[in-house]
Each structure stands twice: as C-alpha cells, then as structure tokens.
Amino acid sequence: MNNLRDVLALVLGSIFLTCCFLTILMAIFSKSRFNEVCDLYEREFGELPLAVSILKECSPFGFAAGYAVKNSFILRPLIFGKKSIHSKVDDVLFMKQLPPKLKYWFIIDFYISLIAFISMIACGVIKGSI
C-alpha cells in the first residue's frame, strides 16, 4: 500500500513540476500578448483600468501578486464570464471576442496553473495520509 502511495505521489509531483515549468515559460512569452490585449482594450474603451496600467509591467518573478492582478483583468471575463473587478465597463464580451491566438493563450495558462495546484494538493493529501 505504501508503494502505491509513493508512485502516486511521484506521478503527481512530476505533473506539478511539469506544469510549473510550462507556466513559467508561458509567463515569459505572454508579455507581448498581454500588451496586445491592452492596446485593443484602450482602443475600445479609451483607457486601461488603473490597477492594470500600474501593474502592466509586472513579472511573476518579482511581484507575483501584481502579476495575478494583471492577469485577472483578462481571465475573469474569459473563464468566469464576469466583468473584471478592475474595470469600470462590462468587458466580458470584449474579452470573449478577442482573437483566438490571444485569448486561448491565457486560458491554457490558467488551466495549466489549475492542474499544477490540484496535483500539488493531491500529492500532499496522499503523502500526508501515511
């Protein structure tokens, strides 16, 4: 029984590390896509929300909380279908109508992060229940 738990923990740990690595790579390569979304948003609504304009240059490596705020500007409308909490306008339709090459990048990044989180919790539960 212990061996099965160890194998499961190893598999889940490997999934977690792989997802973390992919998330880091996506964060590095998403800057131009984020800037493109910001440019489109400014053309549509006139200006970016204050929090987004302040945190536009945030990196996940220096200020992770700022990076999360910056990405929630895009993800909340795309994933949950609700207006960004930083926006004064209802931006759900705008975000859902973004070009696929932009919106799918952020959606995939979100789900990879979610898989990493779930695998980390599952690994902790499996190893903690010995």
Side-chain angles (χ1 to χ4, degrees):
M1 190 71 161
N2 238 1
N3 288 338
L4 179 60
R5 286 185 180 162
D6 289 341
V7 169
L8 281 173
L10 181 65
V11 168
L12 289 169
S14 298
I15 291 169
F16 171 74
L17 290 175
T18 301
C19 289
C20 287
F21 178 72
L22 288 172
T23 300
I24 289 169
L25 283 177
M26 292 190 81
I28 291 169
F29 294 115
S30 71
K31 184 174 181 165
S32 64
R33 287 173 178 83
F34 182 80
N35 287 336
E36 192 172 341
V37 170
C38 288
D39 291 342
L40 292 170
Y41 189 93
E42 285 176 320
R43 275 189 243 143
E44 180 77 19
F45 299 110
E47 63 181 1
L48 287 172
L50 181 61
V52 176
S53 61
I54 291 171
L55 299 170
K56 191 174 179 180
E57 299 300 320
C58 273
S59 159
F61 310 112
F63 184 42
Y67 185 76
V69 167
K70 164 179 123 164
N71 278 349
S72 73
F73 159 68
I74 296 172
L75 290 174
R76 185 174 164 93
L78 281 179
I79 303 293
F80 304 108
K82 296 183 179 184
K83 176 178 100 57
S84 169
I85 59 173
H86 308 292
S87 180
K88 294 177 185 173
V89 297
D90 190 0
D91 51 6
V92 175
L93 187 60
F94 170 79
M95 292 297 182
K96 290 189 178 274
Q97 291 178 341
L98 286 172
K101 72 177 183 125
L102 292 176
K103 68 180 177 184
Y104 291 145
W105 182 271
F106 292 100
I107 292 170
I108 289 168
D109 185 32
F110 171 80
Y111 283 115
I112 289 173
S113 298
L114 184 63
I115 291 167
F117 178 74
I118 291 170
S119 64
M120 177 186 69
I121 297 297
C123 185
V125 168
I126 287 170
K127 288 304 283 181
S129 63
I130 292 176

